[in-house]
mmCIF file of all heavy atoms in Angstrom:
data_model
loop_
_atom_site.group_PDB
_atom_site.id
_atom_site.type_symbol
_atom_site.label_atom_id
_atom_site.label_comp_id
_atom_site.label_asym_id
_atom_site.label_seq_id
_atom_site.Cartn_x
_atom_site.Cartn_y
_atom_site.Cartn_z
ATOM 1 N N LEU U 276 61.415 202.371 215.621
ATOM 2 C CA LEU U 276 62.516 201.521 215.440
ATOM 3 C C LEU U 276 63.814 202.340 215.828
ATOM 4 O O LEU U 276 64.729 201.832 216.410
ATOM 5 C CB LEU U 276 62.723 201.050 214.006
ATOM 6 C CG LEU U 276 61.651 199.978 213.617
ATOM 7 C CD1 LEU U 276 61.811 199.670 212.107
ATOM 8 C CD2 LEU U 276 61.761 198.686 214.387
ATOM 9 N N VAL U 277 63.847 203.586 215.387
ATOM 10 C CA VAL U 277 65.054 204.425 215.612
ATOM 11 C C VAL U 277 65.079 204.823 217.077
ATOM 12 O O VAL U 277 66.113 204.708 217.765
ATOM 13 C CB VAL U 277 64.987 205.671 214.679
ATOM 14 C CG1 VAL U 277 66.119 206.617 215.125
ATOM 15 C CG2 VAL U 277 65.101 205.267 213.256
ATOM 16 N N GLU U 278 63.997 205.331 217.601
ATOM 17 C CA GLU U 278 64.062 205.839 218.956
ATOM 18 C C GLU U 278 64.230 204.794 220.062
ATOM 19 O O GLU U 278 64.822 205.095 221.006
ATOM 20 C CB GLU U 278 62.763 206.667 219.215
ATOM 21 C CG GLU U 278 62.704 207.964 218.397
ATOM 22 C CD GLU U 278 61.567 208.952 218.804
ATOM 23 O OE1 GLU U 278 60.570 208.444 219.441
ATOM 24 O OE2 GLU U 278 61.671 210.045 218.494
ATOM 25 N N ASN U 279 63.719 203.613 219.767
ATOM 26 C CA ASN U 279 63.895 202.593 220.750
ATOM 27 C C ASN U 279 65.072 201.690 220.438
ATOM 28 O O ASN U 279 65.232 200.589 221.001
ATOM 29 C CB ASN U 279 62.626 201.743 220.888
ATOM 30 C CG ASN U 279 61.446 202.493 221.450
ATOM 31 O OD1 ASN U 279 61.656 203.569 222.103
ATOM 32 N ND2 ASN U 279 60.230 202.116 221.134
ATOM 33 N N ARG U 280 65.922 202.184 219.633
ATOM 34 C CA ARG U 280 67.266 201.556 219.378
ATOM 35 C C ARG U 280 67.193 200.128 218.823
ATOM 36 O O ARG U 280 68.069 199.369 219.082
ATOM 37 C CB ARG U 280 68.176 201.669 220.607
ATOM 38 C CG ARG U 280 68.403 202.998 221.134
ATOM 39 C CD ARG U 280 69.181 203.808 220.080
ATOM 40 N NE ARG U 280 69.163 205.219 220.424
ATOM 41 C CZ ARG U 280 70.258 205.934 220.724
ATOM 42 N NH1 ARG U 280 71.403 205.274 220.933
ATOM 43 N NH2 ARG U 280 70.156 207.195 220.985
ATOM 44 N N HIS U 281 66.093 199.843 218.163
ATOM 45 C CA HIS U 281 66.055 198.488 217.509
ATOM 46 C C HIS U 281 66.975 198.461 216.295
ATOM 47 O O HIS U 281 67.436 197.425 215.876
ATOM 48 C CB HIS U 281 64.661 198.197 217.070
ATOM 49 C CG HIS U 281 63.699 198.024 218.272
ATOM 50 N ND1 HIS U 281 62.736 198.878 218.541
ATOM 51 C CD2 HIS U 281 63.727 197.053 219.285
ATOM 52 C CE1 HIS U 281 62.103 198.487 219.657
ATOM 53 N NE2 HIS U 281 62.695 197.440 220.104
ATOM 54 N N VAL U 282 67.250 199.677 215.818
ATOM 55 C CA VAL U 282 68.282 199.763 214.743
ATOM 56 C C VAL U 282 69.215 200.890 215.133
ATOM 57 O O VAL U 282 68.902 201.646 216.117
ATOM 58 C CB VAL U 282 67.624 200.121 213.341
ATOM 59 C CG1 VAL U 282 66.740 199.024 212.912
ATOM 60 C CG2 VAL U 282 66.857 201.436 213.535
ATOM 61 N N SER U 283 70.327 201.051 214.449
ATOM 62 C CA SER U 283 71.317 202.033 214.890
ATOM 63 C C SER U 283 70.970 203.431 214.539
ATOM 64 O O SER U 283 71.553 204.376 215.025
ATOM 65 C CB SER U 283 72.737 201.637 214.308
ATOM 66 O OG SER U 283 72.618 201.740 212.877
ATOM 67 N N GLY U 284 70.047 203.615 213.597
ATOM 68 C CA GLY U 284 69.642 205.027 213.284
ATOM 69 C C GLY U 284 68.821 204.992 211.973
ATOM 70 O O GLY U 284 68.544 203.898 211.417
ATOM 71 N N TRP U 285 68.527 206.188 211.507
ATOM 72 C CA TRP U 285 67.764 206.230 210.169
ATOM 73 C C TRP U 285 68.537 205.596 209.052
ATOM 74 O O TRP U 285 67.910 205.203 208.095
ATOM 75 C CB TRP U 285 67.503 207.752 209.924
ATOM 76 C CG TRP U 285 66.408 208.351 210.780
ATOM 77 C CD1 TRP U 285 66.602 209.196 211.800
ATOM 78 C CD2 TRP U 285 64.958 208.139 210.647
ATOM 79 N NE1 TRP U 285 65.397 209.535 212.367
ATOM 80 C CE2 TRP U 285 64.337 208.912 211.644
ATOM 81 C CE3 TRP U 285 64.136 207.462 209.784
ATOM 82 C CZ2 TRP U 285 63.036 209.038 211.819
ATOM 83 C CZ3 TRP U 285 62.792 207.513 209.951
ATOM 84 C CH2 TRP U 285 62.221 208.342 210.967
ATOM 85 N N ASP U 286 69.808 205.577 209.203
ATOM 86 C CA ASP U 286 70.572 205.014 208.099
ATOM 87 C C ASP U 286 71.172 203.638 208.396
ATOM 88 O O ASP U 286 72.019 203.236 207.735
ATOM 89 C CB ASP U 286 71.787 206.033 207.703
ATOM 90 C CG ASP U 286 72.834 206.107 208.778
ATOM 91 O OD1 ASP U 286 72.549 205.608 209.886
ATOM 92 O OD2 ASP U 286 73.936 206.558 208.474
ATOM 93 N N ASP U 287 70.588 203.020 209.335
ATOM 94 C CA ASP U 287 70.897 201.587 209.570
ATOM 95 C C ASP U 287 70.655 200.813 208.314
ATOM 96 O O ASP U 287 69.598 201.046 207.671
ATOM 97 C CB ASP U 287 70.034 201.040 210.713
ATOM 98 C CG ASP U 287 70.489 199.588 211.088
ATOM 99 O OD1 ASP U 287 70.303 198.756 210.229
ATOM 100 O OD2 ASP U 287 70.884 199.328 212.230
ATOM 101 N N PRO U 288 71.679 200.041 207.848
ATOM 102 C CA PRO U 288 71.491 199.395 206.592
ATOM 103 C C PRO U 288 70.257 198.430 206.458
ATOM 104 O O PRO U 288 69.946 197.944 205.383
ATOM 105 C CB PRO U 288 72.785 198.558 206.413
ATOM 106 C CG PRO U 288 73.743 199.388 207.287
ATOM 107 C CD PRO U 288 72.994 199.847 208.420
ATOM 108 N N ARG U 289 69.667 198.154 207.549
ATOM 109 C CA ARG U 289 68.440 197.304 207.530
ATOM 110 C C ARG U 289 67.184 198.175 207.339
ATOM 111 O O ARG U 289 66.072 197.586 207.092
ATOM 112 C CB ARG U 289 68.286 196.485 208.809
ATOM 113 C CG ARG U 289 69.393 195.500 208.982
ATOM 114 C CD ARG U 289 69.421 194.918 210.322
ATOM 115 N NE ARG U 289 69.786 195.983 211.321
ATOM 116 C CZ ARG U 289 69.934 195.795 212.581
ATOM 117 N NH1 ARG U 289 69.749 194.585 213.136
ATOM 118 N NH2 ARG U 289 70.297 196.814 213.367
ATOM 119 N N MET U 290 67.359 199.470 207.410
ATOM 120 C CA MET U 290 66.126 200.313 207.315
ATOM 121 C C MET U 290 65.710 200.530 205.839
ATOM 122 O O MET U 290 66.577 200.560 204.937
ATOM 123 C CB MET U 290 66.438 201.736 207.900
ATOM 124 C CG MET U 290 66.590 201.670 209.417
ATOM 125 S SD MET U 290 64.952 201.587 210.220
ATOM 126 C CE MET U 290 64.501 203.322 210.270
#
Side-chain angles (χ1 to χ4, degrees):
Chain U
L276 290 175
V277 172
E278 288 189 343
N279 294 338
R280 301 296 165 112
H281 294 112
V282 294
S283 62
W285 286 102
D286 68 345
D287 185 297
R289 293 165 295 182
M290 289 285 274

